[in-house]
Each structure stands twice: as structure tokens, then as C-alpha cells.
Amino acid sequence: METESPTVAIIGAGLTGLLTAHGLKKAGFNVVLFDRDASLDARTRDWPLSAHWALPTLKALLSDSALANFSQASGEVMFRSAMPGLRRVTRQRLRRVMAAGFTAAGAIHWNKQLEKIDFSDRSVRLVFADGTTAEAGYVLGTDGASSKVRALLFGDDEVAQAKPSGLMCATGYVTHHNAAKVEPVIKLHPLAAVTVGTTSSSGLAVMCADDPDDMSAWTIAWIKIWCRSRFPEPPATKGAEALAFIKATSKDVIEPFRSQIEWTRDSDPCYIDEMRTWVPVTWDTRGRVTLAGDAAHPMLVYRGQGFQHAVLDAER
């Protein structure tokens, strides 16, 4: 007699959750995802990611359809990096590619804020804020640095709480519609570059190059990181007011980093937040619930290592 494949409920439909869902589905598991946001596009913040040493694992985990879309979205080769196998993707585009098959199958449930986990001998019962429940054989928490699954595993103990790092992070991106404003970034490095200063660090990257022949249409992403204690408190966390703060506090940033910030328009996306971290300690899985990605080991911005390790988490 055939036994039904166990169901794995994934809390958090971000990159880690979706990639793990692909791997589990290929391995024969039933997968269902729950996310607290209203939709896939509820969060508009976006940024470029590097896939390098974990790229072979990423490809092995993705379904054939997702991998085909991933490959087609990369476009033709415009330039080659000295880092073997490096690929650049944006978080939002990669997320849409990985979510497509699960969205079509109705396997992603939105507006699901987890409130409680009940254990039994053979399953786990999830209770959500809207009063609905779900049963699963296993649960994986991939719900970010301030993970609710992690909090529930520790009984909402202080040890489970992510702590402020003291490091502020601002991100923005802009399409200049002017090749002359893109060229300095490409001249510095065709993919990404970083500068380290005495009061802050900054980075630049090509975020999107939808038309390889029209550099004016390329989107440039910038990032700035600084110690919270070194500057006044930002007046806003996003929008024109946040951007004005970044411009006012970036006068000592070297070129071409400073100009990319200065050329960002008030209508362009700009976000500021304090990065949070959590030092992992052993948690009791009860044999049915565990964590992955930022929920298990949040990492500060450093050469895309958080994404690489999330890929390895998905494999394991």
C-alpha cells in the first residue's frame, strides 16, 4: 500500500522559502507556503544579489520550468566577471520566477500571520491571526531575521529576539535615461563596486540591464552603510525625506558613488533601516519544526553571503 508523501508547511515565501519549496517538491514532498504579506508584490523594496559559489546548488534545487525562466531572464552575455560562474539577479525578479509554479498551483497562501504552533505525535497544527488553521507533517520557518517561528520555538523568550546591530543601511535605485550617468559605474566595474570610508561604506551595482544595447535604460542600485552613532537619526525610513537625509550626509563620499546618490530623484525608491542580527543558539525542533535562512542565522550585508548560505540551507 502506497503512503502519501508528507506535507511540509513553509512559513515565509521569500527566496529561502521558495527555493526550499522547489527542492522539497523535486524530492517528492507536498509543499505549501504561508506568508504574512498580502501578495507577492506587497513589498516594493528590491536590490541586486550575487549568486557565485552557491550557484551550482541553486540550479540543482530549482524546478526545470523555473530554471528555464531563470536562464531566459539573464539575457545575452554583455561582459564577463573575473569571478567564475558569477550571476547577478534582483531579489524581486528571482522571487517572481521561483513563485510562479506555486502561485499557479494555489500553494502560496497570503495574509497568513502565524500566531501559534501546536504539536502532536504525527503532525503540527498552525494557527494564524485570521483564525484559520493548517495541518502539516513538518514546518520550516523561513520568515526572516525577526522570525515568528523562531520566537514560538523558544516560547517568545528574549534569547530568540533579533537585536539591532548599530549599523544603518540605505538602499536606492535609479534609471537615469542617460548613458553618460551609467558609464562611470561600468568603468569602475561592470557588475559591482564598494568603497570603504572613515564614516561610511558605499556600493554601486548594475541592477537591471533589460536592453543590452541601450545603456541609458539600465538601472543602477546604490547602498550606503554607516554606524548609527555617527550621524543624526534619519527623519524617515523611505521616500523623498529619507533620500534628502542620505544626500545631506553623503557629501564626503567619493565619486562616482556620491553622484549616483545625488542623481537619484525624489520619486525613485529609497529605503533606510537598521540592520538586525541574532546569534544562533540551539533550538528544540520537536522533530518537526526547524529554521533556515535569516530565520536561522541572519547575516549583515557582505558580498551576498546571506543568500549563498540560504541556498545551502535549502539543500540541507
Side-chain angles (χ1 to χ4, degrees):
M1 177 175 134
E2 292 186 7
T3 57
E4 186 178 350
S5 297
T7 295
V8 179
I10 298 177
I11 309 300
L15 295 184
T16 306
L18 288 167
L19 183 55
T20 307
H22 276 275
L24 288 170
K25 189 174 180 181
K26 288 181 76 171
F29 288 85
N30 296 315
V31 181
V32 61
L33 298 101
F34 300 92
D35 196 281
R36 64 185 179 185
D37 287 343
S39 69
L40 187 66
D41 299 318
R43 299 191 189 192
T44 57
R45 190 173 190 175
D46 199 8
W47 58 88
L49 298 166
S50 293
H52 33 87
W53 55 263
L55 185 59
T57 304
L58 173 65
K59 290 182 175 179
L61 289 168
L62 288 175
S63 65
D64 292 341
S65 59
L67 189 58
N69 288 333
F70 177 74
S71 300
Q72 291 169 9
S74 67
E76 64 185 76
V77 175
M78 294 180 291
F79 37 69
R80 296 187 182 277
S81 168
M83 184 179 291
L86 175 66
R87 297 289 286 274
R88 294 285 288 179
V89 296
T90 72
R91 181 184 183 275
Q92 294 283 37
R93 291 188 179 198
L94 180 57
R95 192 178 179 216
R96 282 195 290 269
V97 166
M98 292 199 295
F102 293 103
T103 300
I108 305 179
H109 300 273
W110 303 103
N111 279 319
K112 295 297 181 182
Q113 175 65 54
L114 183 66
E115 289 290 326
K116 187 179 179 183
I117 300 176
D118 292 327
F119 292 88
S120 68
D121 292 339
R122 296 187 176 183
S123 66
V124 179
R125 181 173 177 262
L126 304 172
V127 181
F128 300 98
D130 61 2
T132 60
T133 62
E135 298 276 341
Y138 302 95
V139 175
L140 176 66
T142 60
D143 48 342
S146 299
S147 169
K148 180 64 175 180
V149 177
R150 185 175 71 227
L152 292 174
L153 283 176
F154 283 94
D156 286 315
D157 192 277
E158 178 70 17
V159 72
Q161 303 305 312
K163 302 295 191 297
S165 67
L167 293 173
M168 303 296 291
C169 177
T171 58
Y173 49 95
V174 54
T175 305
H176 295 299
H177 303 292
N178 183 339
K181 292 183 176 182
V182 176
E183 286 172 354
V185 179
I186 305 304
K187 184 177 180 180
L188 192 63
H189 192 275
L191 290 179
V194 174
T195 178
V196 178
T198 56
T199 60
S200 66
S201 298
S202 301
L204 292 174
V206 176
M207 183 168 172
C208 302
D210 291 335
D211 185 347
D213 299 319
D214 183 7
M215 193 181 294
S216 69
W218 295 12
T219 300
I220 301 299
W222 55 261
I223 183 172
K224 181 181 177 183
I225 298 173
W226 68 95
C227 290
R228 185 172 187 171
S229 60
R230 298 293 296 271
F231 289 94
E233 198 69 14
T237 58
K238 62 181 179 180
E241 199 173 359
L243 178 61
F245 171 83
I246 297 301
K247 289 182 177 182
T249 55
S250 299
K251 302 301 182 184
D252 61 343
V253 175
I254 64 169
E255 293 292 356
F257 299 87
R258 183 173 68 248
S259 289
Q260 294 299 319
I261 294 174
E262 287 291 337
W263 291 335
T264 304
R265 301 173 291 268
D266 286 352
S267 58
D268 292 320
C270 176
Y271 301 88
I272 302 175
D273 60 10
E274 182 173 4
M275 295 185 287
R276 301 178 69 82
T277 188
W278 178 68
V279 179
V281 295
T282 303
W283 59 82
D284 182 5
T285 69
R286 306 280 293 272
R288 294 195 176 277
V289 181
T290 193
L291 307 168
D294 282 346
H297 46 70
M299 301 182 71
L300 302 183
V301 178
Y302 180 67
R303 293 178 56 237
Q305 297 302 305
F307 179 56
Q308 311 305 307
H309 284 280
V311 172
L312 295 191
D313 284 355
E315 178 190 36
R316 293 165 181 165

